[in-house]
Amino acid sequence: MYATVKSVVSQLAEKVGEPYTSFPLHMFKYGHGGVGGYGSVCGTLNGTAALLGLLITDKNVRDKMIADIFRWYEQEPMPVFSPISPDNDYIPIKS
């Protein structure tokens, strides 16, 4: 979650400046390990929803975007990354 939010906010800080320069990124560290280590919510999704809440003011648009991202996550078989030259023969099961 923290990495997702920081990657966007830090770029906004470079290009736009305030309020992103002094944005309290530390507040998103609670999202580690599925929210405080509980393992219930993907931090990437939680961080993306937070960013959409920060950047998209229209509630209907924001809610549709969040639903689209969560729906994609629910339906996309992962992982999708396949290394060109893997170090071993392990092929992770997609879920």
Side-chain angles (χ1 to χ4, degrees):
M1 179 177 185
Y2 174 79
T4 300
V5 175
K6 184 178 180 185
S7 68
V8 174
V9 172
S10 63
Q11 290 182 58
L12 287 168
E14 285 180 24
K15 296 185 184 298
V16 178
E18 288 298 341
Y20 305 104
T21 307
S22 60
F23 193 82
L25 289 168
H26 65 278
M27 70 188 264
F28 294 97
K29 289 184 178 181
Y30 78 87
H32 74 90
V35 181
Y38 192 74
S40 63
V41 178
C42 174
T44 302
L45 293 174
N46 201 359
T48 300
L51 285 167
L52 291 171
L54 176 68
L55 301 171
I56 307 297
T57 57
D58 184 304
K59 181 185 182 303
N60 291 326
V61 171
R62 181 180 59 243
D63 288 351
K64 287 178 185 176
M65 291 176 77
I66 291 170
D68 284 347
I69 289 169
F70 273 70
R71 194 173 301 111
W72 169 83
Y73 179 79
E74 290 173 345
Q75 297 172 358
E76 183 67 28
M78 293 189 204
V80 295
F81 175 72
S82 297
I84 294 170
S85 300
D87 289 340
N88 57 44
D89 294 338
Y90 175 73
I91 300 172
I93 297 170
K94 293 182 183 265
S95 63

